[in-house]
Amino acid sequence: MNLYSLPPFFAGFLTLAVGLVALLSNRRSKPNVAFFFVTLSVFCWLIGYAIVYSMQAYAVALAWVRWLYVGVVFIPVTSFHFAVVLTHRDRLRRWLLLSYVGAVIFAGMAQSTLFIDGLHKFYWGFQPRVGPLHSLFLVFFIGMMAAVLYLLASYFHQIRRTAPLEATKVRYVFLSYCVSV
């Protein structure tokens, strides 16, 4: 493991630990369960990069990049799921299935050279060289994350006077997404 793989390695395990604490504190809480799946997706992405940064063999690194993209494509979908549950937008649940189907399709595309064309080698490790289908994924990613931010912001404005404690929680979730995006 090289020095550049340590930050994503530790961040990945810290993220998963936060998700596990939330899940184990109340397994029946739908927001806690949804949040755990967000942290699991982020964990797959970060740990995948920690491993890729440590790889010397091109073919093995490429296989890991294709695997870690499974985590990447599920980040916006699990975030959308979390936002729908947290904001009690039950009428949007029908969009969840469609968004998960989209993530599965993109996860499959990640195995194609049209999505990930290869790797660039830098001094810190390998980085993916994206293909033409990756642009379609970026539109999906940005759209889903914009929906997450919109749901959180609109819910915050709806409850800020009537439920200040809940509004504070939503504000911090919103800010954390703003920082991460």
Side-chain angles (χ1 to χ4, degrees), residues 1 4 12 14 22 30 33 35 42 50 109 114 126 131 140 159 167 169 181:
M1 186 171 282
Y4 298 104
L14 181 62
K30 289 180 182 179
V33 172
F35 178 71
V42 172
M109 286 180 176
L114 293 173
F126 290 104
F140 175 78
I159 64 165
K169 178 173 66 173
V181 173

Side-chain angles (χ1 to χ4, degrees), residues 68-91:
L68 74 85
Y69 254 87
V70 172
V72 172
V73 299
F74 278 96
I75 290 171
V77 176
T78 56
S79 295
F80 180 67
H81 189 165
F82 174 57
V84 166
V85 171
L86 186 67
T87 61
H88 310 286
R89 302 286 171 92
D90 294 331
R91 62 183 168 75

Side-chain angles (χ1 to χ4, degrees), residues 41-61:
S41 297
V42 172
F43 169 79
C44 291
W45 166 54
L46 290 171
I47 292 303
Y49 264 114
I51 293 168
V52 168
Y53 289 164
S54 298
M55 292 287 147
Q56 298 301 319
Y58 181 91
V60 177

Side-chain angles (χ1 to χ4, degrees), residues 15-16 18-43 74-88 93 96 100 148 152 173 177:
T15 301
L16 185 62
V18 169
L20 282 170
V21 167
L23 179 66
L24 296 175
S25 71
N26 187 353
R27 292 182 193 156
R28 293 184 180 188
S29 166
K30 289 180 182 179
N32 288 16
V33 172
F35 178 71
F36 170 74
F37 284 110
V38 173
T39 63
L40 185 62
S41 297
V42 172
F43 169 79
F74 278 96
I75 290 171
V77 176
T78 56
S79 295
F80 180 67
H81 189 165
F82 174 57
V84 166
V85 171
L86 186 67
T87 61
H88 310 286
R93 286 187 181 268
L96 289 176
Y100 276 103
V148 168
L152 293 171
V173 171
Y177 273 109

